[in-house]
Amino acid sequence: MVKEQENPQKNIVDTIIVGGGPAGLTAGLYLSRYRIETILFEKGISGGQVNLSEVIENYPGFPEGIIGPDLMQRFEQQAIKFGLKIINSTVLTVSPEKYENKTNFKISTADGIFYSKAVIIASGGEPNKLGVPGEQELTGRGVSYCGTCDGAFFREKEIAIVGGGDTALEEALFLTKFASKITIIHRRDELRGSKILQERVFNHPKIKFSWSTIVLAINGETQVKSLQLKNVQSGEINTFPCQGIFIFTGYRPAYPSFGEMQKQLINENGYIITDGNMKTAIEGIFACGDVRAKGLRQIVTACGEGATAAFFVEALLK
Ligand code: NAP
């Protein structure tokens, strides 16, 4: 419809959304219902990080909880029902492009060039790495960043989890279905995750803790065999035998290259700055969800931000 070769700048789609997690899909749902022509680009399966969660217990309306990928499938179906077009491709760059005295955006993707009048960046983030020896080499061979994806490989095995946030605690509880013993390795002596999850991990017989401890190296030739750990209080270093290590040390924002616009859009921590209406410093570019600089990263907040971005895109295009 808007590929460069076929139609240089003539058919400009109203809005392009980058990212198909809760924020992007909600923005897509709202824009489709406003009858604003919208294409959403998602590089993988719609749902983003939520797909990595076994059960979502804090999304209102599901008192029994709902499986993460199931919830995201419903988001996608609902948006498509109202006309959202989803293309599975990676957005590489977003740049401004003047056409008939108006600034539009040129969106280059792995599958061609597209143009739009507005862009919503809802591209979320990706898991942080520890950056220790062995991590990269043993990824997929005992090093994992997703319990839901890889848990079944660790039936009756002893595993370690790194991190003390909500993700680490939720995943630890999920992995108790498979592993025989789980040790949560945390760099401080206090968890960051919510109190209800803390109560559950503390009460679970399979879950133990290694406090004030960091991972120095992951050992093994073809499979993880052990970890080299350091107690940051005593300075003691020891070898911890285990067959798997799951790393949940937070996320970093992920987005396409914005070229010259980058310095106007991004804060010192790499997140996109917006106002309360999800507008960035550049007219026509909006951001919502985990990629935004903000305090709370939840599905419900992502949805609210997606709806807000759509509302102000509609106002702008009008
Ligand atoms: P997070 O809250 O940022 O927690 C990351 C954890 O990893 C922290 O405990 C941190 O330690 C530790 N850490 C960071 N870098 C490390 C390093 N280099 N070495 C060792 N440990 C390191 O990340 P998250 O748990 O992925 O959660 C991200 C956001 O999603 C949060 O806002 C969270 O509330 C939300 N979330 C919510 C739910 C839910 O409500 N159901 C589920 C998942 C995630 P310190 O504590 O010392 O900083």
Side-chain angles (χ1 to χ4, degrees):
M1 175 198 319
V2 281
K3 283 200 179 183
E4 186 170 53
Q5 308 87 303
E6 297 153 16
N7 207 335
Q9 286 267 347
K10 284 193 187 125
N11 269 339
I12 299 168
V13 71
D14 286 331
T15 309
I16 282 179
I17 300 172
V18 184
L25 288 170
T26 306
L29 168 68
Y30 274 67
L31 286 168
S32 303
R33 288 171 60 84
Y34 291 141
R35 296 295 181 231
I36 289 179
E37 190 191 13
T38 303
I39 301 177
L40 182 151
F41 285 95
E42 166 55 50
K43 67 176 177 189
I45 302 166
S46 291
Q49 298 294 334
V50 183
N51 284 334
L52 308 184
S53 282
E54 167 71 351
V55 180
I56 308 291
E57 287 186 331
N58 56 1
Y59 189 72
F62 297 93
E64 309 303 326
I66 179 161
I67 309 284
D70 289 356
L71 180 62
M72 288 300 99
Q73 253 179 30
R74 290 180 189 220
F75 271 52
E76 188 188 64
Q77 279 164 5
Q78 196 173 356
I80 290 172
K81 176 180 152 187
F82 289 103
L84 179 67
K85 181 171 181 188
I86 298 178
I87 297 180
N88 285 111
S89 187
T90 304
V91 174
L92 305 168
T93 64
V94 174
S95 52
E97 188 86 355
K98 282 262 183 223
Y99 181 63
E100 290 181 350
N101 280 333
K102 286 190 188 144
T103 303
N104 296 303
F105 298 97
K106 180 178 175 180
I107 315 291
S108 93
T109 78
D111 293 291
I113 309 283
F114 294 76
Y115 294 95
S116 68
K117 296 176 190 164
V119 187
I120 298 178
I121 308 296
S123 42
E126 51 199 20
N128 282 332
K129 308 276 187 293
L130 287 179
V132 298
E135 181 179 18
Q136 201 183 334
E137 299 83 333
L138 292 165
T139 294
R141 297 165 175 201
V143 176
S144 171
Y145 303 87
C146 174
T148 313
C149 321
D150 298 330
F153 298 119
F154 295 89
R155 243 174 251 282
E156 295 309 316
K157 297 199 166 145
E158 294 198 13
I159 61 169
I161 284 180
V162 186
D166 281 331
T167 307
L169 306 190
E170 269 189 357
E171 296 278 329
L173 290 162
F174 171 68
L175 288 164
T176 57
K177 287 188 190 175
F178 306 102
S180 55
K181 184 182 163 200
I182 294 171
T183 304
I184 295 181
I185 298 169
H186 186 37
R187 63 182 176 183
R188 292 186 294 136
D189 57 4
E190 196 185 356
L191 296 173
R192 178 183 291 278
S194 61
K195 290 285 182 259
I196 187 163
L197 292 174
Q198 292 197 25
E199 286 165 18
R200 290 184 196 162
V201 290
F202 287 140
N203 288 327
H204 201 290
K206 279 189 181 177
I207 300 177
K208 310 288 171 216
F209 294 86
S210 186
W211 299 107
S212 305
T213 300
I214 57 168
V215 178
L216 295 180
I218 303 171
N219 307 318
E221 279 175 18
T222 52
Q223 283 291 321
V224 170
K225 290 251 161 53
S226 65
L227 309 176
Q228 195 180 13
L229 301 182
K230 179 179 179 182
N231 185 301
V232 290
Q233 278 174 358
S234 65
E236 193 188 321
I237 293 176
N238 65 59
T239 301
F240 177 85
C242 65
Q243 287 104 53
I245 170 170
F246 285 78
I247 298 162
F248 302 115
T249 53
Y251 294 94
R252 58 175 181 275
Y255 36 77
S257 165
F258 296 110
E260 282 293 295
M261 300 188 295
Q262 190 110 347
K263 53 185 178 299
Q264 284 174 269
L265 293 174
I266 311 293
N267 75 5
E268 66 280 8
N269 297 321
Y271 288 91
I272 301 182
I273 308 158
T274 73
D275 65 10
N277 298 338
M278 308 304 131
K279 294 179 180 177
T280 68
I282 294 175
E283 190 176 60
I285 301 186
F286 296 72
C288 51
D290 285 2
V291 78
R292 269 186 77 222
K294 59 174 182 170
L296 183 62
R297 294 192 163 78
Q298 298 284 300
I299 304 172
V300 275
T301 55
C303 294
E305 292 166 24
T308 306
F311 178 82
F312 286 99
V313 164
E314 202 248 348
L316 176 79
L317 296 182
K318 259 204 306 212

